[in-house]
């Protein structure tokens, strides 16, 4: 038993002497149970093959020649009988309750390792909580007393450890184009996958940005073995989602029937042929690419073993044997609605960086809640081969996902302004998750968490004026646009004028953010705290100290609205220290290009902030021109080192945009915001050179224009 990030693992091995296949279920066959550090125990099944087949028929909704059993009463009775039999098996393992009780985590992962093919037929997921545990008699996977239990399966054959869990998804959605698979069902599955990919596709509405979606999702209609093999040979996929019916297949040498997927015949859009798990596994390995990490089978009986005289009779079992780390399938008929619930819930959780064990548990719970007339929850079967240290691995995956979600949210702000509704909820959830994860993370990761969260907090307050290089969007105003009757005939001007996202309050009135708003004040204070924390931990991270300095000045400026606020003596001293650090790093010269680029970007930004120094020569236009020339030389050197699309260039442009359009903007009325956005000329030179914020804005604007001319793109886009 090992501690894995809130999930304790309890391993239960069930072994039988002899080969894995060729044995029917029998109450007289002894099995050996090994659980944790407990002694080996003899276990006998409480039913034989005939009893099992009879009860199984009642759970198949009349499929397979048992229409008289397709009644709610018959299914309820069969579920109860099957649950009682599965519980009797677990009750014989006397070491199991103790192993579960000793677990200290909030959840229990019951890892079933099965050596005999006939045991894979049994729906252990239906078992009730064993005797002696809280919640005794309640469904083990649904309603536990104190600790949820997650059941996964494995085969006992030795396999290499799984590859690193993917953080950048590439999904192949292979579906059948046949009258038996309604087009609406295909669309529902496609929409579920698109929604799960929204952090990678820029939070487009329901993920329906075709150009972005194509980078992460490949749709394969009329899927056949050949077309799946061709797709996998052309590109390596991390996830494969198959939507098809299950069907019977006849093993050619023995005549035994087994379950298979009903896919298209090669080159045909009408003919359907059975495809075994071994054949599908071969297609997924075509071209020498790595086998997908996750395969989900939205198909009836994909987890059903079928004939016990055939090795690897289950499609899911065969895929797992071929090296797929996580296979999720149905061991009984799967309803169409249940397949949609499974796809929606499972992929949302998996692509959010959730531990796949917890993701399968959440999916089972969702099936139980939303499909009370069916027992899809009991049909769900999970084959899992997890990393040796799941906690560390899935912490890494979650961190990567939340970082992508935040970056994508920033891209949304750049394109569309303040998000609302689901976009804003997801954006803030990702930032909150980053903060929570950073508290227990290693120092390097915590630094990244701090800086990302600080940026998120800043951008929540950012008015995010439209970038002049962005084309005007056609169509009706979006949720961040405020109608202006005086400009009803000028759509572009109205959009530019009201791009700043107003807040909504309980009365429904729309208003602009200010420091008096608790949300805005809290966001800024959190940002300052995080930047100071990062800089104090590592003074080499100059950008953190610069951001803390700029935000502290901005807060003071808002408190003294209407005044020309330069740096305080304390801020001036800190500015001088940051300039000295940047110059020292550049004089050293013995570090990587990225570090030199960071120092150059810091010095450029400090030149902008230098306009806030209270010294008399700071208002001399000729000296300001010298500062601008020196900053442009640093920009030329920076872009020569890393290029215009490097992170250092994108981050610098984003910072200059903040000075120009937020931190150093004039305190103006609502009407003046509209005038400025409409192109009202700047104030005269006399005002400009005697007003520190205006000087900051002027220099930031000139330097940002320089970056734009060199092809530096809008930052924060997911790549």
């Amino acid at each position: 038993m090992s501690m894995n990030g809130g999930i304790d693992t309890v391993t239960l091995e069930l072994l039988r002497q002899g080969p894995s296949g060729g044995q029917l279920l029998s109450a007289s066959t002894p099995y050996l149970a090994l659980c944790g550090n407990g002694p080996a125990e003899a276990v006998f099944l409480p039913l034989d093959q005939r009893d099992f087949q009879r009860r199984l028929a009642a759970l198949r909704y009349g499929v397979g020649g048992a229409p008289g059993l397709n009644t709610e009463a018959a299914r309820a009775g069969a579920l109860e009988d099957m649950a009682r039999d599965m519980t009797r098996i677990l009750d014989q393992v006397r070491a199991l309750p103790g192993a579960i009780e000793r677990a200290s985590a909030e959840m229990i992962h019951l890892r079933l390792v099965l050596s005999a093919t006939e045991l894979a037929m049994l729906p252990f997921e239906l078992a009730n909580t064993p005797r002696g545990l809280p919640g005794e008699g309640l469904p083990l996977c649904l309603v536990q007393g104190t600790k949820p239990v997650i059941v996964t399966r494995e085969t006992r054959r030795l396999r290499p450890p799984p590859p690193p869990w993917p953080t950048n998804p590439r999904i192949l959605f292979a579906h059948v184009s046949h009258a038996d698979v309604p087009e609406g069902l295909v669309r529902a599955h496609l929409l579920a996958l698109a929604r799960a990919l929204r952090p990678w596709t820029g939070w487009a509405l329901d993920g329906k940005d075709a150009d972005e979606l194509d980078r992460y999702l490949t749709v394969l209609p009329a899927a056949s073995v050949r077309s799946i093999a061709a797709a996998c040979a052309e590109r390596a996929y991390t996830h494969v989602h198959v939507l098809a019916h299950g069907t019977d297949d006849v093993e050619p040498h023995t005549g035994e029937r087994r379950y298979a997927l009903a896919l298209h015949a090669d080159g045909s859009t009408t003919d359907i042929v059975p495809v075994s798990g071994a054949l599908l596994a071969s297609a997924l390995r075509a071209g020498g690419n790595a086998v997908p990490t996750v395969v989900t089978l939205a198909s009836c009986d994909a987890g059903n073993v079928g004939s016990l005289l055939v090795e690897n009779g289950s499609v899911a079992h065969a895929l797992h044997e071929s090296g797929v780390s996580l296979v999720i399938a149905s061991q009984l008929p799967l309803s169409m609605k249940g397949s949609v619930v499974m796809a929606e819930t499972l992929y949302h959780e998996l692509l959010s960086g959730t531990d796949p064990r917890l993701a399968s548990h959440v999916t089972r719970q969702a099936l139980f809640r939303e499909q009370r007339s069916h027992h899809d929850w009991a049909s769900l079967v999970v084959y899992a081969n997890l990393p040796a240290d799941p906690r560390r691995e899935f912490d890494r995956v979650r961190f990567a996902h939340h970082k992508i979600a935040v970056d994508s949210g920033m891209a949304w702000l750049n394109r569309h302004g303040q998000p609302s509704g689901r976009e804003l909820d997801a954006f803030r959830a990702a930032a909150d998750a980053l903060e929570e994860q950073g508290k227990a993370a290693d120092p390097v990761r915590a630094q990244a968490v701090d800086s990302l969260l600080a940026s998120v907090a800043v951008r929540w307050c950012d008015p995010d004026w439209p970038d002049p290089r962005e084309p005007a969007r056609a169509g009706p105003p979006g949720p961040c646009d405020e109608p202006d009757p005086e400009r009803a005939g000028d759509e572009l001007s109205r959009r530019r004028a009201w791009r700043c996202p107003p807040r909504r309050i309980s009365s429904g009135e729309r208003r602009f953010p200010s420091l008096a708003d608790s949300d805005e004040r809290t966001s800024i204070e959190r940002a300052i705290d995080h930047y100071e924390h990062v800089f104090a931990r590592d003074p080499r991270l100059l950008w953190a100290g610069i951001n803390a300095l700029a935000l502290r000045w901005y807060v003071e400026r808002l408190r003294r609205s209407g005044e020309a606020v330069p740096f305080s003596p304390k801020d001036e001293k800190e500015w001088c220290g940051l300039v000295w650090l940047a110059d020292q790093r550049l004089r050293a010269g013995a570090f990587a290009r990225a570090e030199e680029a960071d120092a150059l970007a810091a010095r450029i930004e400090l030149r902008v902030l230098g306009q806030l120094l209270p010294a008399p020569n700071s208002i001399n236009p000729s000296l300001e021109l010298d500062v601008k020339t020196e900053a442009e030389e640093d920009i030329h050197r920076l872009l020569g080192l890393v290029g215009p699309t490097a992170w250092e260039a994108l981050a610098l442009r984003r910072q200059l945009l903040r000075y120009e359009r937020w931190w150093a903007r004039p305190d103006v009325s609502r009407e003046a915001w509209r005038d400025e956005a409409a192109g009202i000329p700047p104030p005269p030179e006399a005002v400009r050179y005697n007003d520190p914020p205006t000087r900051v804005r002027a220099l930031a604007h000139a330097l940002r224009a320089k970056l734009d001319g060199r092809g530096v793109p809008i930052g924060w886009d997911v790549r």
Side-chain angles (χ1 to χ4, degrees):
M1 184 171 63
S2 60
M3 190 69 178
N4 292 318
I7 303 178
D8 274 358
T9 299
V10 174
T11 301
L12 173 59
E13 294 189 64
L14 295 176
L15 315 175
R16 173 180 54 76
Q17 186 178 8
S20 59
Q23 174 75 46
L24 297 177
L25 295 173
S26 172
S28 61
T29 301
Y31 294 89
L32 193 65
L34 299 173
C35 183
N37 294 326
E41 302 177 75
V43 171
F44 291 86
L45 302 183
L47 75 174
D48 58 21
Q49 190 73 32
R50 179 184 299 176
D51 295 333
F52 175 76
Q53 294 294 150
R54 184 166 53 247
R55 291 172 186 172
L56 187 64
L59 298 177
R60 297 185 56 79
Y61 308 101
V63 178
L69 297 176
N70 188 22
T71 65
E72 188 172 349
R75 292 197 300 271
L79 277 173
E80 185 177 343
D81 291 341
M82 194 73 82
R84 184 169 54 248
D85 290 334
M86 297 304 103
T87 306
R88 287 174 179 170
I89 297 175
L90 298 184
D91 280 340
Q92 296 179 62
V93 186
R94 290 171 293 178
L96 181 59
I100 293 177
E101 277 292 296
R102 286 191 297 273
S104 58
E106 296 179 355
M107 304 190 75
I108 305 298
H109 170 210
L110 180 56
R111 177 172 165 252
L112 291 179
V113 181
L114 309 175
S115 68
T117 304
E118 71 271 15
L119 293 178
M121 299 181 69
L122 301 176
F124 289 98
E125 294 76 8
L126 271 171
N128 294 324
T129 304
R131 289 193 302 264
L133 290 175
E136 178 182 340
L138 297 176
L140 183 67
C141 292
L142 290 179
V143 188
Q144 303 80 19
T146 56
K147 298 177 182 179
V149 176
I150 306 163
V151 177
T152 68
R153 302 179 177 208
E154 292 179 50
T155 59
R156 201 169 185 273
R157 298 176 186 176
L158 294 177
R159 292 185 306 277
W165 211 263
T167 57
N168 206 23
R170 295 289 185 272
I171 302 177
L172 175 63
F173 174 33
H175 67 85
V176 173
S177 303
H178 194 269
D180 291 340
V181 179
E183 185 178 346
L185 181 63
V186 175
R187 286 199 301 268
H189 279 254
L190 179 59
L191 187 59
L193 297 175
R195 284 175 174 168
L197 285 167
R198 290 172 72 233
W200 286 268
T201 57
W203 299 104
L205 181 61
D206 291 334
K208 292 178 180 177
D209 187 326
D211 292 339
E212 289 295 318
L213 195 57
D214 286 346
R215 296 172 58 189
Y216 302 101
L217 176 63
T218 300
V219 180
L220 189 62
S224 65
V225 172
R226 181 181 297 171
S227 63
I228 292 174
C232 292
E234 182 179 353
R235 187 180 192 182
Y237 291 96
T238 59
H239 301 69
V240 174
H241 182 62
V242 180
L243 174 61
H245 281 298
T247 186
D248 288 340
D249 186 21
V250 178
E251 213 279 335
H253 303 294
T254 64
E256 292 293 325
R257 305 191 70 83
R258 60 185 175 185
Y259 290 103
L261 297 179
L263 299 181
H264 287 268
D266 292 336
S268 174
T269 58
T270 56
D271 296 338
I272 298 295
V273 296
V275 174
S276 68
L279 193 55
L280 179 60
S282 175
L284 296 179
R285 285 187 171 276
N289 285 324
V291 67
T293 303
V294 178
V295 174
T296 52
L297 303 172
S299 168
C300 297
D301 295 307
N304 198 331
V305 172
S307 173
L308 292 173
L309 301 181
V310 180
E311 287 285 338
N312 297 336
S314 161
V315 176
H317 186 100
L319 291 174
H320 185 58
E321 285 279 286
S322 72
V324 179
S325 298
L326 183 70
V327 183
I328 298 182
S330 173
Q331 58 188 336
L332 296 169
L334 180 66
S335 69
M336 290 186 182
K337 182 179 179 181
S339 74
V340 175
V341 172
M342 182 186 82
E344 288 177 341
T345 310
L346 185 62
Y347 276 91
H348 170 76
E349 296 294 331
L350 287 177
L351 299 191
S352 296
T354 303
D355 186 312
R357 298 169 294 181
L358 182 56
S360 67
H361 176 72
V362 172
T363 303
R364 193 183 303 278
Q365 298 285 328
L367 288 169
F368 179 70
R369 288 192 305 269
E370 301 191 27
Q371 286 289 95
R372 299 302 298 272
S373 61
H374 292 74
H375 45 266
D376 293 328
W377 67 269
S379 181
L380 195 70
V381 61
V382 180
Y383 283 86
N385 179 26
L386 299 175
D389 189 349
R391 177 181 180 178
R392 178 179 293 274
E393 181 69 1
F394 296 121
D395 274 353
R396 177 188 66 83
V397 174
R398 275 196 309 278
F399 178 81
H401 166 81
H402 296 320
K403 180 179 181 301
I404 288 169
V406 168
D407 286 351
S408 186
M410 298 298 181
W412 175 282
L413 286 170
N414 279 328
R415 299 184 186 116
H416 309 296
Q418 179 85 9
S420 60
R422 288 184 302 179
E423 291 80 18
L424 182 58
D425 291 342
F427 191 16
R428 291 193 170 185
D432 290 343
L434 274 177
E435 183 177 25
E436 180 181 355
Q437 198 172 1
K439 292 176 182 177
D442 57 80
V444 175
R445 183 178 296 177
Q447 287 179 0
V449 171
D450 287 338
S451 62
L452 280 169
L453 183 61
S455 296
V456 173
V458 169
R459 291 291 296 208
W460 280 342
C461 310
D462 195 338
D464 192 48
W465 293 76
D467 191 281
R469 294 174 296 162
E470 291 189 63
R473 301 192 306 270
C480 294
D481 296 318
E482 175 106 292
D484 178 10
E486 297 178 3
R487 299 176 180 269
D490 188 353
E491 172 68 17
L492 178 59
S493 294
R494 181 166 74 251
R495 284 179 174 279
R496 290 187 180 278
W498 296 109
R499 191 63 169 276
C500 174
R503 298 281 186 186
R504 288 190 182 275
I505 56 178
S506 57
S507 64
E509 178 186 351
R510 297 161 70 89
R511 58 186 173 85
F512 285 89
S514 70
L515 189 64
D517 296 332
S518 60
D519 277 356
E520 306 307 325
R521 185 171 61 253
T522 301
S523 293
I524 295 173
E525 289 171 352
R526 287 175 70 195
I528 293 173
D529 289 343
H530 280 288
Y531 280 128
E532 289 179 340
H533 182 56
V534 172
F535 185 62
R537 194 159 45 194
D538 189 351
R540 294 173 301 175
L541 303 177
L542 297 174
W543 50 265
I546 294 171
N547 277 280
L549 175 64
L551 279 175
R552 282 197 305 271
W553 168 78
Y554 176 62
V555 170
E556 181 63 23
R557 179 169 171 262
L558 288 179
R559 287 174 179 154
R560 297 163 55 185
S561 178
E563 301 181 29
V565 181
F567 272 154
S568 67
K570 179 181 177 181
D571 289 340
E572 182 179 0
K573 184 179 296 185
E574 185 165 344
W575 180 88
C576 292
L578 289 167
V579 170
W580 182 85
L581 285 173
D583 288 342
Q584 287 296 109
R585 296 197 68 198
L586 288 170
R587 288 193 187 100
F591 45 79
R593 284 189 175 187
E595 294 176 341
E596 184 177 355
D598 284 338
L600 285 168
R603 191 163 70 177
I604 293 166
E605 194 173 341
L606 287 167
R607 293 187 194 280
V608 174
L609 284 173
Q611 305 305 303
L612 299 172
L613 294 173
N617 61 4
S618 65
I619 63 172
N620 188 323
S622 62
L623 291 180
E624 183 182 349
L625 184 62
D626 291 340
V627 171
K628 177 174 176 291
T629 302
E630 292 171 353
E632 288 178 341
E633 291 175 354
D634 281 347
I635 287 176
H636 178 76
R637 181 177 168 187
L638 167 68
L639 298 181
L641 282 171
V642 295
T645 60
W647 165 252
E648 293 79 9
L650 270 65
L652 175 61
R653 184 190 181 278
R654 186 187 70 243
Q655 288 297 96
L656 294 175
L657 192 64
R658 286 173 175 167
Y659 290 117
E660 177 186 353
R661 297 175 177 174
W662 179 37
W663 288 346
R665 75 171 187 259
D667 290 326
V668 294
S669 65
R670 188 167 177 174
E671 289 73 21
W673 276 84
R674 181 172 57 217
D675 291 339
E676 185 175 345
I680 302 300
E685 292 293 308
V687 176
R688 173 182 173 186
Y689 288 111
N690 284 282
D691 180 55
T694 306
R695 294 198 305 272
V696 168
R697 293 185 73 213
L699 183 55
H701 171 78
L703 298 180
R704 185 180 65 85
K706 185 75 172 178
L707 290 172
D708 289 352
R710 294 290 300 273
V712 177
I714 300 171
W716 290 113
D717 286 342
V718 178
R719 300 186 181 278

